[in-house]
Amino acid sequence: YEASCTSSAAMAVTLMLPGLLWLYAGQDTSRPLPMPGALKAAGATVHPELRVRNVPGKGAGLVVCSQVSAGAVLLRIPRSAVLSGQVAQSVLGCPELPPEAALCALLAEGRHAAEKGREDILGLHEYLLALPRDFPTLPLSFREDDAEKHLRGTALLPALNALRVRTNEEQEAAMNLLGDKLEAVWSTERWRWARAAIMTRT
């Protein structure tokens, strides 16, 4: 059994599905892979046998529930649909904001809107809601006392402190430039969630 999946990396897909392909031979409890209109319009395609399954406590994964021919393309995302920092700058209309900060702002606002049942700025409602609510094993998510306890004496602690400073600076820049347009940039919790989502999916 062989199958290949070729595509340009797309943040919209990578964020929800961190490179995992589970081949499942038991009862099918999966659902069709949702394809937002924005991705369809950009030329994205998905094989009809490629589906999504929720895994309790682990998020969601791609599954193939029946045999597909060798060499079949399961998912194709064209480069024009890649969600990058530069694309985020364009969507937000804010080229002054650094690319990674723009992507954080876009994801934080999109997830916030999706949770409220509103149409998100990305049109990726299901993708955003499929992401984990927290990232407890990521040092950025540690409380300061836990980080000091577990990372003291290692190179990770100063690296984590530097990352936190940079993350705070990026959030402050987003608040200054976009605070009158975006609600989520004012929430440190949502901002760190967005940063963690990017770090664990790229």
Side-chain angles (χ1 to χ4, degrees):
Y1 174 93
E2 292 183 8
S4 64
C5 179
T6 59
S7 70
S8 299
M11 182 63 69
V13 175
T14 303
L15 284 171
M16 185 183 72
L17 305 166
L20 299 179
L21 180 64
W22 290 302
L23 304 181
Y24 179 76
Q27 182 181 2
D28 182 14
T29 58
S30 59
R31 64 187 187 279
L33 176 64
M35 183 61 69
L39 289 180
K40 286 182 180 179
T45 60
V46 60
H47 194 285
E49 296 299 331
L50 187 63
R51 300 173 69 83
V52 177
R53 178 177 291 115
N54 288 329
V55 179
K58 297 183 180 179
L62 282 177
V63 297
V64 178
C65 297
S66 61
Q67 187 172 357
V68 297
S69 59
V73 177
L74 300 179
L75 181 65
R76 176 179 286 117
I77 306 294
R79 187 171 296 278
S80 60
V82 171
L83 180 56
S84 64
Q86 288 74 22
V87 170
Q89 289 174 315
S90 177
V91 171
L92 295 172
C94 189
E96 303 88 352
L97 193 62
E100 283 197 3
L103 189 53
C104 279
L106 194 60
L107 292 176
E109 189 69 17
R111 174 66 178 249
H112 178 55
E115 289 177 345
K116 295 294 185 182
R118 304 195 301 262
E119 182 63 28
D120 64 274
I121 194 171
L122 295 171
L124 299 173
H125 181 272
E126 290 195 46
Y127 287 99
L128 293 169
L129 292 182
L131 290 170
R133 289 185 176 276
D134 53 42
F135 303 89
T137 61
L138 189 70
L140 182 61
S141 301
F142 290 0
R143 296 185 315 177
E144 289 192 17
D145 56 340
D146 286 337
E148 180 68 25
K149 176 181 177 181
H150 296 294
L151 303 179
R152 183 177 10 181
T154 73
L156 291 176
L157 186 57
L160 173 59
N161 290 336
L163 175 61
R164 283 178 170 164
V165 169
R166 190 178 77 199
T167 299
N168 291 340
E169 290 174 346
E170 290 175 342
Q171 183 185 6
E172 185 176 348
M175 288 188 294
N176 290 334
L177 292 168
L178 297 170
D180 59 335
K181 300 177 181 178
L182 305 181
E183 182 179 347
V185 299
W186 294 97
S187 168
T188 298
E189 180 182 357
R190 290 191 178 280
W191 188 268
R192 288 196 176 183
W193 173 87
R195 166 57 71 188
I198 294 171
M199 291 178 65
T200 55
R201 264 76 189 162
T202 55

